Amino acid sequence: MAAKTSKVKTPLGMQTLTYYPIKTEPDSAHPTYDTGVDLGAAVKGYLTVTTASASIPGDDITQLEDEIFTGGQLDSETTMSDLAVNATLYGHTYTEADGEESNSADRAKPGGLSFIEPILLKDKSVVYRVTCLYKTQAMPSSEKQEADTKKAGELSPKTNAVSFKVMEDNTGAWRKRQDCDTLAAAKTFISGVFSAT
């Protein structure tokens, strides 16, 4: 009997987290987007999905089980803490002359998100998995500012953490993914999804 051949397709990391402000949300179509905003070198992106479920009993048995997508949350971290980018995500006011001003009336604006995961195959080659989230919105409760004093013999770098609500767009879609042979092809795929029009 021949030995079973196992397959391997394992994510290795995360690259190029980019936010695309939504320009318009046409009926029965994906949003249109403004030019992407680089959020810095990606450190992590953990996506969790929220669902609603129903169980319908009858004749002393379960007749139907159903579970549907209602939303999601992407918890991300990057290496860049930039005031202009922060203002874009959370709806604050920013100018070069005056810096960033946060107001209690500020509201985060929706936008798309993309990132790339290198995926290791069994032959040790790598493919690049693109994830495009059509409609997300930064969660104001995730905006944090942390600073620690410098201690002798150590540095305390802080990553920039932002959590995003993930929503469906006007087509009902919320995510698009594709595996690409090269990093360049992955970036081209993202450009096609979020091309500014």
Side-chain angles (χ1 to χ4, degrees), residues 44-166:
K44 87 170 190 182
Y46 293 177
L47 175 67
T48 54
V49 172
T50 305
T51 62
S53 61
S55 180
I56 301 173
D59 289 342
D60 295 333
I61 63 171
T62 299
Q63 298 289 337
L64 179 66
E65 285 280 352
D66 198 12
E67 188 174 9
I68 60 170
F69 173 89
T70 59
Q73 182 171 320
L74 180 78
D75 297 316
S76 73
E77 290 182 18
T78 72
T79 59
M80 185 169 71
S81 177
D82 183 81
L83 295 179
V85 170
N86 199 68
T88 298
L89 292 177
Y90 293 106
H92 303 320
T93 302
Y94 175 83
T95 64
E96 276 194 36
D98 294 329
E100 181 192 41
E101 181 170 271
S102 304
N103 189 287
S104 60
D106 294 343
R107 295 294 181 268
K109 302 291 192 298
L113 276 177
S114 72
F115 58 89
I116 299 170
E117 295 171 273
I119 307 285
L120 181 66
L121 306 182
K122 191 159 189 175
D123 64 1
K124 298 185 182 175
S125 64
V126 173
V127 296
Y128 297 88
R129 177 167 296 162
V130 173
T131 296
C132 298
L133 302 172
Y134 289 113
K135 184 178 179 181
T136 67
Q137 187 168 295
M139 298 168 58
S141 59
S142 72
E143 186 176 8
K144 296 183 174 86
Q145 186 170 341
E146 298 178 341
D148 292 328
T149 188
K150 183 179 175 183
K151 298 170 187 169
E154 82 178 66
L155 295 174
S156 300
K158 298 290 184 184
T159 55
N160 192 50
V162 183
S163 292
F164 295 89
K165 285 288 185 189
V166 178

Side-chain angles (χ1 to χ4, degrees), residues 18-24 26 30-37 112-114 132-134 176 186-197:
T18 307
Y19 169 80
Y20 304 84
I22 289 178
K23 193 186 319 187
T24 65
H30 297 308
T32 63
Y33 303 92
D34 282 323
T35 303
V37 177
L113 276 177
S114 72
C132 298
L133 302 172
Y134 289 113
K176 188 176 186 73
K187 291 179 178 180
T188 298
F189 185 87
I190 290 171
S191 295
V193 173
F194 293 112
S195 58
T197 55

